[in-house]
Amino acid sequence: MAGLAASFGSGAMSNSMDDVAQQAKAFFIIGSNTTEQHPVFGTMLRRAVRFRGAKLVVADPRRIDITEFATLHLRQKPGTDIALVNGLMNIILEKGWEDKAFIEERCENFDEFKATVMNYPPEKVSEITGVPVEQLYEAAQIIAENKPTAVIWAMGITQHISGVRNVMDLANFQMLLGYMGKPGGGVNPLRGQNNVQGACDMGGLPNVYPAYQPVTSEEAQAKFQKAWGATSNLKVGAVVTEMMPGILEGRTHALYILGEDPVMSDPDTHHIRKALEAIDFLVLQEIFPSETSAYADVLLPGVSFAEKTGTFTNTERRVQMVRKAIPTQGDARDDWWITSEIAKRILAATPQRVQPEAPFAGWEYRDASAIMDEINVVTPSYAGITHARLEKGERLQWPCPAKDHPGTPILHTKALSRGKGRFMPIDHVPPAEEPTEDYPFVLSTGRVLYHWHGGQMTRRAKGLLEIYSEALIELNPDDAARLGLNGKNRVRVTSRRGSIEAQAWVTDRVPPGMVYANFHFPEASANELTIAALDPVSKIPEYKVAAVKVELVR
Amino acid sequence: MVNIKINNQSVQAEQGQTILDVARSHGLDIPTLCYHKDLSPTGNCRMCVVEVKGGRFLSAACVTSVWEGMEIQTHSEKVMKDRKLTLEMMLANHPQDCITCDVSGECELQDLAYEYKAVAPSWGTKGTRYPVDSDPNPFIRVDMNRCILCRRCVEACAEIQVRDVWGVAKRGFDEVIVAGAGTSMLEARCESCGQCVAYCPTGALSNKMNYGMARAHQVKKVTTTCAYCGVGCQFDLLVKNDKVIGVQSNPDAPVNGMALCVKGRYGYDYIHHPDRVKKPRVRRYLLDGGKKNREGSPWDWVETEWETALDITAKKLMEARDNYGADSIGVLTSAKCTNEENYLMNKLARQVLGTNNIDHCARL
Ligand code: SF4
Ligand code: SF4
């Protein structure tokens, strides 16, 4: 969440789900198919709309399920979010609805930002986004009058080449209206997988140590050198979307992958397969053979969540226990044990690397709670979060800097983490790939309610597969008629990178000219088609826009 | 504040509190069936009736607010008789086969019938009116013979899930709960979240995946956190003979309470799927000491002991580091794994290998 970090100094969801659902006067959902991707939070929002009369503005090219509850649905063209948000802010300034006191006291760089927004008058924005001018005014009014409005987004905002800038623009939006640091307001990015938040918090990123301590900082480096007795250099490492091409370019020679399936989840599958074929050594730690395991040299059986003890951190920074319910299956081992054993072997062979007197030089962990004890010492925001406290039933959201600290449900209540919130002038940039004569459709990708990610778990859950048993391509009825589907429903979707065949689901969920596909099924995975165009800062690929052609399979 | 008397004891209550709330907050047990604290009270089952001094009829405690000077009897003879009669009316049209019913042991009707020594009268249908297992939903087993018309499912779907699948059709003796306009649940836009099952007090709605697999007293419950999305719902895993046989709502779950989605509640059967990797595997070429070869038998998997697989892994990672530098190694940690596991992957990359090339699929 590089965008939020730049604006406020923290990249996590600023409020809690419960707080948002109970306190917000209105919701502005942009790029989140909430009821399918975060279903229980989706139902909390549905309840707020139905029983509390909260207003709901949804901006999404597709008629996703939650639009049923929307006061207003804006159907912007894919990849035009910045223009849309700038257009709304332009109207807010025109009408004088901004929170002048908040801007004055708690923000900076307003004038430069304002100059940019002035370039987005409603008529121009309507042209770029395809949203009628009246709807822009209506949306701005709903959001400005219902104080506070919570902004909620997910991958529909981040998975663009402009993802980081999209996020910064939403931060601008909430500062402009003074909706930061208030119950029911804030910026609320919903994290996809169960523990994305925790993986980031724990330093599972190339640019930061645990708790976002930058690897480029000498101070942070010295701290970890002291704690661990050895650490890495000051250079930011490679992200996954750089490691993979690095194989073919001779930069990456070995990969250690824990519980991920890049063949299914990374963009441009064909290219990933080529890269993995060429790697010198790939060790994969997984519970099932996967599309990726076909390329692995060693496969180490880890365990499912039902067999492990530890913690997950949810999208609202809440740290919760995962408890072992059943014995480890077969000869599988705890994932933390496997990692420790590899570490011990390497250190035994090269003992000179580590200063042995450092307090956490070693890898002898009794259990997961002992690992958490070490995390407490080196991770300021987790300093007070122990298994013992969680087992006592305490409810803790980070930052929790001490053993007697109650945790922090809402961020930025007094001041924004970086002191003053910084307005960022953001301009619209068109997506990397736009429709052409040969590839006239826009493809967008994502998940469906009944499946998860690469589908390794949900395709092995019988009932889920029964309800949603194969990849479906959403296609507008007008397009279906034009393609002569005429009751037949098998289509081939082709991009410049690959081609898939699947059943069409003819539905007006998608507007004419757009198709939507998921990546749950290897035989027709959307990532055969997606483009590896990356956001320059976050390196997130543009899953949400690619140009494709659609043909009837005869 | 209002002053009232419950069972001759003076207590203070808040204005607007119901008799049931006040009684329960003082540890007094008034039985309920249709009432659930998460749902709007309807007062239709009549189990919670109490005697209010001066009242002509018994009052339903779940919908009656207290007033100054109110005097209430929660277990008088009249009340007990009335409740028993209510239960017997329900039993008259309810199957008498607890011995084979899936929810026996955690059925609220069964518990109350036992407590009130209610017996099924000789008249009635004894629950032979509707087809058993009447809906094709892959997760939810519908047996309307066991339904006591409490409407909790209707409310759970409307008020928790906000999906309005269930409704009430017909009147009087023929009154029945139906999905949509008498369609299947999925046709009525059911999302298979199982909220209606979680709130059903009897075996009318139960779970297909573990039907007949365990009685309540045979399972161990382990509270844990969902491994699918970032909402972070908690629930209880139901374990019998070291196998996960189901998921049950845990009302104390901080984020979600009783609510879950279809993946969290019903997407657990992958845990025991036969595809699980149960022993370390290495490619044959690694054991033969040959060069990497992705063709034919050198690329076959060979199951090994942990020692062998770990030794090979460590050796190969060191080889890459020594030949091409630490930055030739990439570490992909997992957004599905725990904080503790992710922390160790970060420590392995930075402390042991000396590279910042660590990432995960958060972006994806
Ligand atoms: S499973 Fe969920 S959506 Fe379906 S009927 Fe029950 S409560 Fe409603
Ligand atoms: S039960 Fe559903 S909504 Fe809750 S965490 Fe699991 S996947 Fe997410």
Side-chain angles (χ1 to χ4, degrees), chain A residues 46-47 50 68 194 204-205 232 235 238 240 253 296-297 320-321 331 345 353 374 387 449 538, chain B residues 160-161 164 189 191 225 232 263 278 283 285 306 311 328 340 343 350-351 356-357 359-360 363:
Chain A
R46 296 205 287 223
R47 288 204 284 280
R50 180 182 286 184
E68 224 179 277
N194 58 326
L205 291 169
S232 47
K235 211 174 84 229
V240 51
H253 290 270
D297 298 276
Q320 304 189 99
M321 286 303 299
D331 202 17
R345 279 172 172 74
R353 179 162 167 78
E374 182 173 323
H387 285 203
L449 172 63
S538 73
Chain B
I160 306 285
Q161 190 66 8
D164 309 306
R189 304 180 68 234
E191 294 174 306
T225 307
K263 290 187 289 287
K278 297 209 172 140
R283 301 291 181 183
Y285 85 87
W306 275 99
D311 286 346
S328 72
E340 291 78 359
Y343 172 78
R350 297 187 160 117
Q351 183 216 28
N356 285 317
N357 290 346
D359 199 12
H360 65 285
R363 313 190 148 67

Side-chain angles (χ1 to χ4, degrees), chain A residues 46, chain B residues 137 140 153 156-158 160-166 179 185-186 188-197 205 260 266:
Chain A
R46 296 205 287 223
Chain B
N137 184 299
I140 296 165
C153 59
C157 195
I160 306 285
Q161 190 66 8
V162 201
R163 198 66 175 179
D164 309 306
V165 170
W166 295 113
M185 293 172 71
L186 290 173
R189 304 180 68 234
C190 166
E191 294 174 306
S192 301
C193 65
Q195 254 68 284
C196 52
V197 180
L205 299 177
L260 291 171
Y266 296 119

Side-chain angles (χ1 to χ4, degrees), chain B residues 20 42 63 71 101 150 186 188 190 223 244 283 285 288 299 302 308 336 346:
Chain B
L20 183 67
T42 55
V63 289
E71 290 184 30
C101 177
C150 71
L186 290 173
C190 166
T223 306
V244 173
R283 301 291 181 183
Y285 85 87
D288 296 349
W299 194 246
V302 184
T308 316
K336 290 206 274 281
N346 138 80

Side-chain angles (χ1 to χ4, degrees), chain B residues 161-177:
Chain B
Q161 190 66 8
V162 201
R163 198 66 175 179
D164 309 306
V165 170
W166 295 113
V168 186
K170 305 189 184 153
R171 283 291 169 263
F173 177 74
D174 291 326
E175 189 170 300
V176 63
I177 305 291

Side-chain angles (χ1 to χ4, degrees), chain B residues 70-346:
Chain B
M70 193 183 218
E71 290 184 30
I72 302 154
Q73 291 295 332
T74 64
H75 285 75
S76 66
E77 203 184 315
K78 190 167 165 199
V79 166
M80 297 301 276
K81 238 168 95 182
D82 195 83
R83 288 184 191 149
K84 183 171 175 181
L85 196 68
T86 299
L87 285 164
E88 294 189 336
M89 297 283 281
M90 289 177 190
L91 293 180
N93 291 310
H94 191 93
Q96 312 292 311
D97 62 350
C98 294
I99 207 159
T100 54
C101 177
D102 200 53
V103 304
S104 176
E106 53 185 349
C107 169
E108 295 173 42
L109 177 65
Q110 188 186 54
D111 289 351
L112 288 173
Y114 173 75
E115 185 183 338
Y116 283 78
K117 302 193 174 58
V119 264
S122 56
W123 51 272
T125 65
K126 305 288 188 291
T128 54
R129 291 193 279 175
Y130 306 107
V132 169
D133 194 3
S134 56
D135 195 283
N137 184 299
F139 306 107
I140 296 165
R141 189 177 191 274
V142 178
D143 180 356
M144 282 304 163
N145 294 299
R146 300 187 191 278
C147 173
I148 55 169
L149 296 167
C150 71
R151 292 167 172 71
R152 275 200 210 165
C153 59
V154 179
E155 293 200 327
C157 195
E159 297 180 2
I160 306 285
Q161 190 66 8
V162 201
R163 198 66 175 179
D164 309 306
V165 170
W166 295 113
V168 186
K170 305 189 184 153
R171 283 291 169 263
F173 177 74
D174 291 326
E175 189 170 300
V176 63
I177 305 291
V178 292
T183 59
S184 74
M185 293 172 71
L186 290 173
E187 283 166 330
R189 304 180 68 234
C190 166
E191 294 174 306
S192 301
C193 65
Q195 254 68 284
C196 52
V197 180
Y199 285 93
C200 176
T202 73
L205 299 177
S206 61
N207 294 318
K208 268 186 190 157
M209 284 167 70
N210 53 15
Y211 189 80
M213 282 168 73
R215 287 271 194 243
H217 69 273
Q218 296 171 314
V219 299
K220 181 177 88 175
K221 292 184 189 175
V222 181
T223 306
T224 193
T225 307
C226 182
Y228 285 110
C229 89
V231 172
C233 297
Q234 289 210 316
F235 49 68
D236 291 345
L237 286 174
L238 305 179
V239 179
K240 186 186 173 192
N241 297 335
D242 288 341
K243 282 204 143 159
V244 173
I245 61 155
V247 162
Q248 192 170 54
S249 294
N250 181 325
D252 298 326
V255 176
N256 55 304
M258 296 275 284
L260 291 171
C261 82
V262 59
K263 290 187 289 287
R265 197 187 296 277
Y266 296 119
Y268 60 81
D269 43 339
Y270 73 89
I271 295 169
H272 296 287
H273 195 281
D275 288 355
R276 281 284 301 266
V277 185
K278 297 209 172 140
K279 225 174 156 25
R281 296 176 192 175
V282 305
R283 301 291 181 183
R284 188 178 303 283
Y285 85 87
L286 286 165
L287 297 173
D288 296 349
K291 272 182 83 82
K292 181 158 179 175
N293 182 351
R294 297 189 70 251
E295 302 293 323
S297 84
W299 194 246
D300 285 348
W301 282 124
V302 184
E303 290 196 342
T304 66
E305 295 310 314
W306 275 99
E307 283 301 310
T308 316
L310 291 166
D311 286 346
I312 290 175
T313 303
K315 188 175 123 236
K316 285 286 172 183
L317 293 177
M318 283 189 287
E319 240 172 62
R321 184 187 62 186
D322 298 344
N323 293 339
Y324 307 101
D327 287 341
S328 72
I329 304 174
V331 174
L332 279 189
T333 186
S334 174
K336 290 206 274 281
C337 286
T338 62
N339 290 326
E340 291 78 359
E341 289 154 355
N342 277 293
Y343 172 78
L344 290 192
M345 290 294 276
N346 138 80

